[in-house]
Amino acid sequence: MIAWLSEALVLERIYWYLAIPFTVLFIIQLIATFLGLGDGDGMEGIEEGLDLDNDFEFESSLNLFTLRNFITFFTVFGWAGITFLNAGMGTSATLLLSTLLGIIMMLIVSVLFYFTMKLTHNGNMQIEYAKGATCQVYIRIPAKRSGIGKVNITFQDAFRELEAMTDDENAIPTGTVVQVKDILSNRILLVEKITGGD
């Protein structure tokens, strides 16, 4: 009985050592996420001295082994262990249940961030909607796809500046009104001069 009690006290101390610092990190992580610091995938912005980069590529897979999940796991693991030990559970049952709860919470957080990132990604520019739109040349577009120019275009309720090429025999000067014929790549438009354009 005394051996079990001392073992439980040592284990509870370990749980406290894990619960408190990871809870602090968890709260900082939550605040950073709600303030839009980093890309929502952990503590990258905080780790890099708040050197934040909002441009990110959406990844279609669940990332289980991230700093965010690591913090979540040990926060839940610590507080669950303290709770189960104070409820009078044995050390083996406490270790098993707190580990299980930590893993379950880690999976839940991963799934939530996966769908959040997917929604964010779906809200980004979908360049195929530019097809057929009219726009104005901002930087001269060389003839016969011999170089890249730029156009100012409005689509998806946003004003954008995108790269463009043309199949026209002559270069298209700045200020000319053109129409988007096709999409050549993720960010390059194929345009043609509109007869009667400026």
Side-chain angles (χ1 to χ4, degrees):
M1 180 70 180
I2 294 171
W4 176 84
L5 190 59
S6 64
E7 190 180 303
L9 287 172
V10 169
L11 188 61
E12 185 175 3
R13 190 176 296 168
I14 291 168
Y15 276 122
W16 277 110
Y17 287 152
L18 289 171
I20 292 173
F22 279 102
T23 300
V24 171
L25 289 173
F26 184 77
I27 291 167
I28 293 169
Q29 177 180 270
L30 276 179
I31 293 168
T33 301
F34 286 121
L35 291 177
L37 304 178
D39 64 7
D41 189 25
M43 302 273 287
E44 291 85 353
I46 292 169
E47 287 178 323
E48 296 167 10
L50 298 180
D51 180 10
L52 308 172
D53 182 11
N54 291 322
D55 295 330
F56 64 90
E57 291 293 325
F58 172 71
E59 295 179 6
S60 59
S61 60
L62 281 175
N63 292 319
L64 292 178
F65 302 105
T66 63
L67 184 59
R68 179 191 63 240
N69 290 344
F70 180 76
I71 291 169
T72 302
F73 173 82
F74 280 107
T75 302
V76 174
F77 176 80
W79 288 113
I82 292 165
T83 304
F84 292 141
L85 282 176
N86 286 328
M89 281 193 179
T91 54
S92 299
T94 299
L95 280 168
L96 181 67
L97 286 173
S98 59
T99 302
L100 216 77
L101 278 175
I103 291 169
I104 289 168
M105 192 56 69
M106 192 172 75
L107 288 169
I108 289 170
V109 168
S110 289
V111 169
L112 285 174
F113 270 89
Y114 170 82
F115 285 111
T116 302
M117 292 299 106
K118 192 170 181 180
L119 285 172
T120 303
H121 177 72
N122 289 341
N124 287 347
M125 179 183 74
Q126 295 179 341
I127 200 167
E128 61 270 15
Y129 291 135
K131 199 170 178 180
T134 56
C135 48
Q136 190 171 38
V137 177
Y138 171 63
I139 295 176
R140 178 181 173 275
I141 304 171
K144 295 185 176 182
R145 300 194 194 187
S146 60
I148 296 175
K150 287 193 176 182
V151 295
N152 289 328
I153 184 169
T154 302
F155 70 101
Q156 285 186 296
D157 299 321
F159 179 80
R160 304 173 194 276
E161 181 184 295
L162 298 175
E163 293 180 333
M165 298 178 86
T166 186
D167 286 328
D168 290 3
E169 295 290 325
N170 300 312
I172 306 176
T174 300
T176 306
V177 176
V178 293
Q179 184 171 30
V180 179
K181 282 174 58 180
D182 204 356
I183 311 300
L184 295 178
S185 71
N186 191 35
R187 282 202 173 256
I188 301 177
L189 307 175
L190 180 66
V191 299
E192 64 182 350
K193 189 174 178 180
I194 295 175
T195 307
D198 295 328

